[in-house]
Amino acid sequence: MTPTTKKSTLLANELKEGLISHLMSAVKPKANRLDHDSPTLFDAFYALGARGWLIPKAPGHWQGLGLSGLDYQQFQQTIARYSGALAFLQTQHQSAASLLLASDNEALQQRYLPGMATGAQRLGVGFSQLRRRPAPLTARAVAGGYRLSGQVPWVTGAGLFTDFVGAAVLPDGQAVFGVLPLANQLDSQSTADGCLRVDAPMALAGMSATNTVSVALEDWFLGAAAVVGTRPAGWLEQRDRANPLSPLGLIFGCTEAGIDVLNAALIRRKIDHAIAQQLTLKLAKLQRELPRVLALPDDAFAEKMALRGQAIGLMQTSAMAATVATSGAANAIAHPAQRVYRESLVFSVSGQTSAGAIATLNSLVIPLL
């Protein structure tokens, strides 16, 4: 082991210990409230920011922790074990930071990135619509920037994030990304009554406190100063294919949460059953497989998707086992078993493609053990 590697490992261990300590004391006791009460969830987000933990993948000169690959997935997993809503919110913020880090717009980086680690600057994302045909949000080039019209169907964090990185499709199929306000605004530079409208938060079954909204734009001017960059046609499909295992940190964390609730219910009801141990062993097996599968070339896509499907299937099984072991109390909206069950629903379909749906469905027809 080189000195650099040893230092990195020690830093990761120190971070994990500090993160667990914070989550155990400040998040676990109110995890259920974080799921449905936005102010409480936003306070928990700010508490991560007070420790500089909001964009851990960013390099140190942008106040991040420089985490990459498995380290970041373990970071996500740790948070998701205690609160899926908090983990999801942090992930959206990190995604915005990653897009800015890859941008050639240095002025935009300087404006936002230095404050994103602490929450002084707060951004979400809205580009999943690039998977849809026809494109819900389109753009056309004009002098000094672009005009955007249409809808961003999903943006998380209304009331917390002041802006978000959105994406619109150009006539040639390319996508232009830019920073957009996450608040109702009239376009002062539009000659056609351009505006941006944020709808009311959606009534979602899981993680409603994250305030997911749709955003409508009418002839909205995206000036060059707010442009993050452009991506070629099919960029998101290529990204999905290149990184099919990126959600596994959240999925593994939710699985652990289900096992935690399951164990508590079995102890409380004095039920002697091996399912919690079996689920834990299966989770450990998938975690051991992850580094090997991540290292496979892109043409091993089917094997990677199979691992993702197995992970989602295991997460759903752990959530269902926690619900069954809890008995009737699990039907209460504020019970931990119900919260984890809803979180598993969200993580099962987040960023889902047709290939992801097939892999998950395949996992559901194969016996767990």
PDB file of all heavy atoms in Angstrom, residues 271-284:
ATOM      1  N   ILE A 271     -39.857 -13.352  17.566  1.00  0.00           N
ATOM      2  CA  ILE A 271     -39.958 -14.291  16.453  1.00  0.00           C
ATOM      3  C   ILE A 271     -38.558 -14.775  16.096  1.00  0.00           C
ATOM      4  O   ILE A 271     -37.664 -13.967  15.808  1.00  0.00           O
ATOM      5  CB  ILE A 271     -40.608 -13.624  15.222  1.00  0.00           C
ATOM      6  CG1 ILE A 271     -42.063 -13.246  15.540  1.00  0.00           C
ATOM      7  CG2 ILE A 271     -40.545 -14.545  14.013  1.00  0.00           C
ATOM      8  CD1 ILE A 271     -42.746 -12.492  14.408  1.00  0.00           C
ATOM      9  N   ASP A 272     -38.373 -16.066  16.137  1.00  0.00           N
ATOM     10  CA  ASP A 272     -37.077 -16.657  15.809  1.00  0.00           C
ATOM     11  C   ASP A 272     -37.085 -17.066  14.338  1.00  0.00           C
ATOM     12  O   ASP A 272     -37.679 -18.079  13.964  1.00  0.00           O
ATOM     13  CB  ASP A 272     -36.821 -17.878  16.707  1.00  0.00           C
ATOM     14  CG  ASP A 272     -35.436 -18.487  16.473  1.00  0.00           C
ATOM     15  OD1 ASP A 272     -34.619 -17.805  15.812  1.00  0.00           O
ATOM     16  OD2 ASP A 272     -35.192 -19.619  16.916  1.00  0.00           O
ATOM     17  N   HIS A 273     -36.458 -16.240  13.496  1.00  0.00           N
ATOM     18  CA  HIS A 273     -36.440 -16.518  12.062  1.00  0.00           C
ATOM     19  C   HIS A 273     -35.103 -16.058  11.485  1.00  0.00           C
ATOM     20  O   HIS A 273     -34.545 -15.050  11.912  1.00  0.00           O
ATOM     21  CB  HIS A 273     -37.591 -15.803  11.351  1.00  0.00           C
ATOM     22  CG  HIS A 273     -37.908 -16.385  10.016  1.00  0.00           C
ATOM     23  ND1 HIS A 273     -37.100 -16.205   8.906  1.00  0.00           N
ATOM     24  CD2 HIS A 273     -38.939 -17.163   9.603  1.00  0.00           C
ATOM     25  CE1 HIS A 273     -37.625 -16.832   7.877  1.00  0.00           C
ATOM     26  NE2 HIS A 273     -38.746 -17.424   8.260  1.00  0.00           N
ATOM     27  N   ALA A 274     -34.603 -16.790  10.490  1.00  0.00           N
ATOM     28  CA  ALA A 274     -33.275 -16.530   9.938  1.00  0.00           C
ATOM     29  C   ALA A 274     -33.284 -15.532   8.785  1.00  0.00           C
ATOM     30  O   ALA A 274     -32.228 -15.255   8.210  1.00  0.00           O
ATOM     31  CB  ALA A 274     -32.649 -17.838   9.454  1.00  0.00           C
ATOM     32  N   ILE A 275     -34.436 -14.962   8.443  1.00  0.00           N
ATOM     33  CA  ILE A 275     -34.490 -14.138   7.241  1.00  0.00           C
ATOM     34  C   ILE A 275     -33.576 -12.926   7.308  1.00  0.00           C
ATOM     35  O   ILE A 275     -32.947 -12.552   6.310  1.00  0.00           O
ATOM     36  CB  ILE A 275     -35.943 -13.708   6.930  1.00  0.00           C
ATOM     37  CG1 ILE A 275     -35.976 -12.993   5.563  1.00  0.00           C
ATOM     38  CG2 ILE A 275     -36.524 -12.828   8.051  1.00  0.00           C
ATOM     39  CD1 ILE A 275     -37.351 -12.736   5.029  1.00  0.00           C
ATOM     40  N   ALA A 276     -33.464 -12.284   8.479  1.00  0.00           N
ATOM     41  CA  ALA A 276     -32.599 -11.105   8.583  1.00  0.00           C
ATOM     42  C   ALA A 276     -31.149 -11.484   8.297  1.00  0.00           C
ATOM     43  O   ALA A 276     -30.435 -10.762   7.588  1.00  0.00           O
ATOM     44  CB  ALA A 276     -32.730 -10.473   9.964  1.00  0.00           C
ATOM     45  N   GLN A 277     -30.717 -12.603   8.821  1.00  0.00           N
ATOM     46  CA  GLN A 277     -29.352 -13.069   8.571  1.00  0.00           C
ATOM     47  C   GLN A 277     -29.159 -13.415   7.096  1.00  0.00           C
ATOM     48  O   GLN A 277     -28.134 -13.093   6.494  1.00  0.00           O
ATOM     49  CB  GLN A 277     -29.036 -14.292   9.431  1.00  0.00           C
ATOM     50  CG  GLN A 277     -27.618 -14.817   9.249  1.00  0.00           C
ATOM     51  CD  GLN A 277     -27.357 -16.058  10.079  1.00  0.00           C
ATOM     52  OE1 GLN A 277     -28.265 -16.611  10.679  1.00  0.00           O
ATOM     53  NE2 GLN A 277     -26.099 -16.479  10.123  1.00  0.00           N
ATOM     54  N   GLN A 278     -30.158 -14.042   6.489  1.00  0.00           N
ATOM     55  CA  GLN A 278     -30.060 -14.408   5.076  1.00  0.00           C
ATOM     56  C   GLN A 278     -29.991 -13.176   4.187  1.00  0.00           C
ATOM     57  O   GLN A 278     -29.224 -13.120   3.222  1.00  0.00           O
ATOM     58  CB  GLN A 278     -31.255 -15.284   4.701  1.00  0.00           C
ATOM     59  CG  GLN A 278     -31.217 -16.660   5.351  1.00  0.00           C
ATOM     60  CD  GLN A 278     -32.526 -17.413   5.179  1.00  0.00           C
ATOM     61  OE1 GLN A 278     -33.572 -16.817   4.887  1.00  0.00           O
ATOM     62  NE2 GLN A 278     -32.480 -18.728   5.349  1.00  0.00           N
ATOM     63  N   LEU A 279     -30.799 -12.181   4.510  1.00  0.00           N
ATOM     64  CA  LEU A 279     -30.764 -10.943   3.743  1.00  0.00           C
ATOM     65  C   LEU A 279     -29.418 -10.239   3.895  1.00  0.00           C
ATOM     66  O   LEU A 279     -28.871  -9.697   2.931  1.00  0.00           O
ATOM     67  CB  LEU A 279     -31.896 -10.010   4.194  1.00  0.00           C
ATOM     68  CG  LEU A 279     -33.310 -10.445   3.823  1.00  0.00           C
ATOM     69  CD1 LEU A 279     -34.333  -9.597   4.570  1.00  0.00           C
ATOM     70  CD2 LEU A 279     -33.535 -10.343   2.316  1.00  0.00           C
ATOM     71  N   THR A 280     -28.881 -10.252   5.115  1.00  0.00           N
ATOM     72  CA  THR A 280     -27.586  -9.622   5.368  1.00  0.00           C
ATOM     73  C   THR A 280     -26.484 -10.318   4.581  1.00  0.00           C
ATOM     74  O   THR A 280     -25.600  -9.662   4.003  1.00  0.00           O
ATOM     75  CB  THR A 280     -27.264  -9.650   6.868  1.00  0.00           C
ATOM     76  OG1 THR A 280     -28.279  -8.940   7.586  1.00  0.00           O
ATOM     77  CG2 THR A 280     -25.923  -8.998   7.156  1.00  0.00           C
ATOM     78  N   LEU A 281     -26.517 -11.646   4.540  1.00  0.00           N
ATOM     79  CA  LEU A 281     -25.514 -12.407   3.786  1.00  0.00           C
ATOM     80  C   LEU A 281     -25.631 -12.127   2.288  1.00  0.00           C
ATOM     81  O   LEU A 281     -24.619 -11.989   1.587  1.00  0.00           O
ATOM     82  CB  LEU A 281     -25.674 -13.904   4.058  1.00  0.00           C
ATOM     83  CG  LEU A 281     -25.293 -14.371   5.465  1.00  0.00           C
ATOM     84  CD1 LEU A 281     -25.654 -15.837   5.656  1.00  0.00           C
ATOM     85  CD2 LEU A 281     -23.790 -14.157   5.706  1.00  0.00           C
ATOM     86  N   LYS A 282     -26.866 -12.034   1.791  1.00  0.00           N
ATOM     87  CA  LYS A 282     -27.074 -11.746   0.375  1.00  0.00           C
ATOM     88  C   LYS A 282     -26.579 -10.343   0.033  1.00  0.00           C
ATOM     89  O   LYS A 282     -25.943 -10.129  -1.011  1.00  0.00           O
ATOM     90  CB  LYS A 282     -28.562 -11.875   0.037  1.00  0.00           C
ATOM     91  CG  LYS A 282     -28.902 -11.600  -1.417  1.00  0.00           C
ATOM     92  CD  LYS A 282     -28.333 -12.640  -2.356  1.00  0.00           C
ATOM     93  CE  LYS A 282     -28.831 -12.426  -3.782  1.00  0.00           C
ATOM     94  NZ  LYS A 282     -28.284 -13.424  -4.717  1.00  0.00           N
ATOM     95  N   LEU A 283     -26.840  -9.389   0.912  1.00  0.00           N
ATOM     96  CA  LEU A 283     -26.358  -8.029   0.696  1.00  0.00           C
ATOM     97  C   LEU A 283     -24.828  -8.005   0.665  1.00  0.00           C
ATOM     98  O   LEU A 283     -24.228  -7.371  -0.207  1.00  0.00           O
ATOM     99  CB  LEU A 283     -26.880  -7.107   1.796  1.00  0.00           C
ATOM    100  CG  LEU A 283     -26.355  -5.661   1.780  1.00  0.00           C
ATOM    101  CD1 LEU A 283     -26.725  -4.968   0.460  1.00  0.00           C
ATOM    102  CD2 LEU A 283     -26.891  -4.873   2.968  1.00  0.00           C
ATOM    103  N   ALA A 284     -24.197  -8.691   1.604  1.00  0.00           N
ATOM    104  CA  ALA A 284     -22.733  -8.735   1.640  1.00  0.00           C
ATOM    105  C   ALA A 284     -22.171  -9.352   0.360  1.00  0.00           C
ATOM    106  O   ALA A 284     -21.133  -8.908  -0.159  1.00  0.00           O
ATOM    107  CB  ALA A 284     -22.264  -9.524   2.861  1.00  0.00           C
TER     108      ALA A 284
END
